[in-house]
């Protein structure tokens, strides 16, 4: 079958992320997926767009950015974000989401059913048809095909044996007819009939042989595909485990980041409180500064007035000094005149 034809391509980069599978898939396209375990659907339901690939009996989904890689290289990466095994799953229409959706159910699903939505009803119907076909690829069906091939081989051997016995019987009858000289025409008719029946039997045998070869080849292809599916399943299981570990680490990192955000928020609140206190203090300081500036201006005005008074006082002082000097000079002159007068009075008194 064409579904089972695949090959692995290793790109020059090397490494796990460089391993791609040729895009020989059953279906691929964009689907929307809510979180696993969603019980009800409404306006607040978070739908995430995923690029999805159906490969044999698996549904693989990626980030929507993988679509560009798939369309350009015609390959898809073997490290999807998630893998859904489709064997024995029940796929049905599911319009309760308000979108053209479908639901995948299986008894082994622990977190609930998987609900996905397409962009249109026609696209949704195509997805359902492909997924239902792929859900039939199981180990039991492969074993059933082997049993049918074995039964066809047994029927072919039985028919070949009956054909040989019938040909031998016809040959014996023909030999008997040859010994009867009076039945030559009947012998020729019988021989012709024998040839026709022989040709018909050979035609039937050839058809059975072709069917046997075709069925055997299909069985070989199916067994080879099941073997490769087991290998891919192992790789996908390993990738899923690595993905779970990565998600766990991401969750731990997220918790740490949330703690840091909480601490930063507390620091911001503390800084905001301190900033408010500083602003309040600054306003008080500004008010005090305004008061001081007013007092300074008042003091400067008083100083100017005092300076003016000092200048007036200095001028008055200078006037008083000039007056005192003049008075001192006048006093000295009066004293000299007094002395002269006393001397004259002394001389006059002496004469007398």
């Amino acid at each position: 079958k064409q579904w089972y034809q695949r090959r692995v391509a290793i790109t020059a980069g090397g490494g796990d992320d460089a391993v791609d599978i040729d895009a020989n898939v059953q279906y691929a396209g964009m689907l929307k997926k809510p979180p696993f375990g969603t019980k009800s659907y409404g306006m607040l339901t978070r739908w995430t767009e995923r690029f999805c690939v159906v490969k044999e009996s698996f549904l693989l989904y990626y980030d929507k950015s993988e679509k560009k890689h798939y369309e350009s290289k015609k390959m898809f990466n073997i490290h999807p974000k998630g893998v859904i095994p489709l064997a024995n799953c029940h796929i049905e229409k599911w319009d309760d989401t308000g979108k053209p959706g479908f639901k995948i159910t299986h008894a082994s699903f622990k977190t609930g059913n998987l609900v996905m939505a397409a962009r249109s009803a026609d696209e949704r119907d195509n997805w359902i048809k492909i997924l239902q076909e792929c859900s039939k690829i199981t180990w039991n069906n492969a074993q059933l095909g082997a049993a049918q091939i074995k039964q066809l081989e047994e029927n072919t051997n039985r028919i070949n044996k009956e054909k040989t016995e019938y040909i031998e019987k016809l040959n014996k009858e023909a030999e008997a007819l040859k010994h009867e000289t009076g039945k030559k025409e009947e012998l020729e008719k019988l021989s012709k009939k024998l040839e026709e029946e022989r040709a018909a039997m050979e035609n039937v045998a050839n058809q059975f042989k072709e069917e046997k070869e075709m069925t055997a080849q299909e069985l070989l292809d199916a067994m080879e595909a099941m073997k490769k599916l087991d290998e891919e399943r192992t790789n996908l299981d390993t990738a899923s485990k690595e993905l779970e570990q990565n998600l766990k680490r991401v969750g731990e990192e997220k918790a740490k980041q949330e703690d840091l955000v909480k601490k930063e928020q507390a620091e911001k609140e503390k800084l905001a409180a301190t900033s408010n206190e500083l602003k309040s203090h600054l306003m008080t300081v500004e008010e005090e500064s305004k008061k001081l500036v007013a007092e300074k201006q008042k003091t400067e005005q008083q100083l100017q007035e005092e300076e003016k008074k000092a200048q007036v006082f200095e001028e008055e002082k200078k006037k008083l000094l000039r007056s005192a000097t003049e008075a001192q000079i006048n006093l000295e002159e009066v004293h000299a005149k007094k002395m002269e007068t006393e001397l004259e009075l002394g001389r006059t008194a002496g004469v007398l």
Side-chain angles (χ1 to χ4, degrees):
K1 295 289 185 179
Q2 186 178 3
W3 285 7
Y4 301 111
Q5 297 172 357
R6 72 176 80 90
R7 59 186 181 275
V8 177
I10 310 297
T11 60
D16 292 339
D17 292 335
V19 180
D20 292 331
I21 305 297
D22 277 3
N24 189 12
V25 300
Q26 282 68 65
Y27 207 65
M30 302 301 296
L31 289 173
K32 291 183 178 180
K33 185 184 78 63
F36 282 107
T38 301
K39 301 298 183 184
S40 60
Y41 303 89
M43 296 294 293
L44 299 179
T45 303
R46 182 171 60 86
W47 292 82
T48 305
E49 196 170 26
R50 300 294 189 194
F51 176 66
C52 299
V53 173
V54 180
K55 182 72 171 174
E56 275 80 37
S57 62
F58 295 95
L59 173 62
L60 300 88
Y61 62 87
Y62 304 81
D63 283 329
K64 62 181 181 180
S65 59
E66 182 69 19
K67 182 181 178 183
K68 186 181 294 184
H69 172 79
Y70 172 85
E71 291 176 346
S72 62
K73 295 190 176 181
K74 299 303 178 185
M75 294 181 179
F76 65 92
N77 198 288
I78 65 170
H79 294 289
K81 290 186 72 67
V83 181
I84 309 299
L86 298 172
N88 291 324
C89 283
H90 181 66
I91 297 96
E92 61 182 341
K93 228 182 244 187
W94 187 259
D95 294 330
D96 291 359
T97 61
K99 299 177 181 294
F102 58 88
K103 181 172 67 173
I104 303 175
T105 58
H106 195 279
S108 63
F109 288 177
K110 302 300 182 185
T111 57
N113 301 324
L114 175 63
V115 176
M116 304 186 88
R119 294 177 176 176
S120 65
D122 292 339
E123 190 175 345
R124 184 264 316 276
D125 294 341
N126 289 335
W127 277 101
I128 291 176
K129 181 179 178 181
I130 294 297
L131 294 174
Q132 287 176 344
E133 290 296 325
C134 291
S135 67
K136 299 175 184 177
I137 303 176
T138 64
W139 179 254
N140 291 334
N141 290 342
Q143 289 181 325
L144 179 62
Q148 290 176 347
I149 289 176
K150 184 177 180 181
Q151 185 177 2
L152 285 173
E153 290 177 347
E154 291 176 354
N155 291 337
T156 301
N157 292 333
R158 179 176 55 79
I159 290 172
N160 287 334
K161 184 177 179 181
E162 290 178 355
K163 181 188 75 172
T164 303
E165 291 175 353
Y166 186 69
I167 290 174
E168 289 178 353
K169 181 180 178 182
L170 290 176
N171 287 331
K172 288 179 181 179
E173 291 179 357
E175 288 294 333
L177 288 173
K178 285 181 181 179
H179 292 293
E180 297 179 6
T181 56
K183 298 180 179 181
K184 183 177 180 182
E185 292 181 359
E186 186 177 352
L187 180 62
E188 290 178 355
K189 291 179 181 180
L190 184 61
S191 297
K192 186 176 180 180
K193 183 179 179 180
L194 175 63
E195 287 296 328
E196 292 176 354
E197 290 183 355
R198 180 178 177 181
M201 292 296 292
E202 287 180 352
N203 188 25
V204 171
N206 289 331
Q207 289 178 358
F208 272 106
K209 184 177 179 181
E210 291 176 358
E211 290 179 0
K212 175 187 173 183
E213 292 176 353
M214 185 181 299
T215 305
Q217 184 61 40
E218 289 180 355
L219 178 62
L220 291 175
D221 292 341
M223 296 301 292
E224 181 66 20
M226 292 303 298
K227 183 179 178 182
K228 292 182 178 180
L229 278 175
D230 288 337
E231 294 176 356
E232 290 182 2
R233 183 180 298 168
T234 302
N235 292 333
L236 290 172
D237 289 340
T238 303
S240 297
K241 290 178 181 179
E242 292 178 356
L243 182 61
E244 289 177 358
Q245 293 176 356
N246 291 335
L247 289 174
K248 184 177 179 182
R249 286 196 295 269
V250 169
E252 293 174 353
E253 289 295 330
K254 182 180 178 182
K256 291 180 181 179
Q257 291 296 328
E258 288 177 351
D259 291 338
L260 289 175
V261 169
K262 289 179 180 178
K263 290 180 181 179
E264 289 179 357
Q265 187 66 28
E267 290 292 334
K268 285 181 179 178
E269 292 175 355
K270 186 176 179 181
L271 288 173
T274 305
S275 177
N276 291 332
E277 292 178 0
L278 289 174
K279 286 179 180 178
S280 177
H281 182 67
L282 183 59
M283 291 175 66
T284 304
V285 171
E286 287 179 352
E287 291 177 357
E288 293 293 333
S289 297
K290 289 179 180 178
K291 290 180 180 180
L292 289 173
V293 169
E295 291 179 359
K296 179 184 176 183
Q297 291 176 351
K298 185 177 180 182
T299 303
E300 287 178 351
Q301 186 175 1
Q302 290 176 353
L303 286 173
Q304 289 176 359
E305 292 176 355
E306 291 294 332
E307 286 178 356
K308 289 179 180 179
K309 289 179 180 180
Q311 289 177 358
V312 172
F313 179 76
E314 187 68 29
E315 289 177 357
E316 289 179 354
K317 181 181 176 183
K318 289 179 180 179
K319 288 179 180 180
L320 289 172
L321 286 174
R322 284 195 299 270
S323 298
T325 303
E326 290 176 356
Q328 183 69 30
I329 294 170
N330 292 331
L331 184 62
E332 288 177 355
E333 289 177 353
V334 169
H335 183 70
K337 288 178 178 182
K338 179 183 177 185
M339 291 297 293
E340 289 177 359
T341 303
E342 285 179 355
L343 287 174
E344 287 180 359
L345 287 174
R347 283 193 300 268
T348 303
V351 171
L352 292 176

